[in-house]
Amino acid sequence: MPKVTVHRKAHFNAAHRLFNPNWSDEKNAEIFGKCSNPNYHGHNYELIVSLTGEINKETGYVYDLGRLKHIIKTEIEDAFDHKNLNIEVPEFKKLNPSVENIAVVAYNKLRKIVEEEYDIEITLYETPRNFVTYSGE
């Protein structure tokens, strides 16, 4: 059976501050610039979840996109949307919430639920020009 990749797009709005607690305020400002604002700043994140697998002979689906929509909503959107990632999201209490780390956390949350037969790839846009892709490697 052919392998096909299906995609589901979602979004969430969240605030964060990039900083290393082991560094001085000056060094954080030097490395992270405006993103190290002690009062935080926010982004309108765009998330694309891609699943690759074989087409099911009975349904014609690779994956039920209604189910994927529900999983993304409960695991990612509800957990991150309108939150201060540094303060309100447990995964970022000790992890700098860079777009790279947010993508890895999102992947790990989905990997626990989506069956192993599917390859998962996360594409996360922090801005229209800045985005990352992560597929568990």
Side-chain angles (χ1 to χ4, degrees):
M1 217 37 177
K3 282 197 167 194
V4 174
T5 302
V6 297
H7 308 273
R8 174 74 191 176
K9 193 179 224 184
H11 70 272
F12 59 92
N13 305 316
H16 70 159
R17 176 185 182 207
L18 299 181
F19 77 105
N20 183 327
N22 298 317
W23 295 348
S24 67
D25 287 341
E26 293 77 20
K27 182 167 182 176
N28 275 294
E30 176 187 332
I31 300 299
F32 300 117
K34 298 186 296 185
C35 295
S36 190
N37 181 342
N39 295 312
Y40 306 93
H41 68 284
H43 297 281
N44 299 316
Y45 292 93
E46 293 290 331
L47 172 71
I48 301 170
V49 176
S50 304
L51 300 183
T52 301
E54 292 186 2
I55 298 172
N56 181 295
K57 291 177 187 176
E58 294 177 353
T59 64
Y61 292 167
V62 168
Y63 198 86
D64 181 342
L65 290 178
R67 179 170 184 247
L68 183 58
K69 174 185 175 182
H70 175 75
I71 292 168
I72 293 168
K73 181 179 182 333
T74 58
E75 295 299 316
I76 310 298
E77 291 174 304
D78 290 351
F80 297 171
D81 191 38
H82 285 83
K83 303 278 174 59
N84 181 316
L85 299 176
N86 301 74
I87 296 171
E88 298 177 83
V89 178
E91 290 89 350
F92 299 110
K93 293 284 186 196
K94 295 183 178 179
L95 181 64
N96 208 7
S98 64
V99 69
E100 295 90 341
N101 283 332
I102 298 167
V104 170
V105 167
Y107 173 93
N108 290 337
K109 289 168 85 61
L110 297 177
R111 184 77 280 171
K112 290 178 185 175
I113 296 170
V114 173
E115 297 84 348
E116 287 293 324
E117 67 193 77
Y118 301 99
D119 295 330
I120 301 174
E121 182 176 86
I122 300 294
T123 302
L124 183 61
Y125 285 80
E126 187 173 68
T127 72
R129 295 183 186 154
N130 297 335
F131 62 97
V132 300
T133 301
Y134 180 68
S135 57
E137 299 163 6

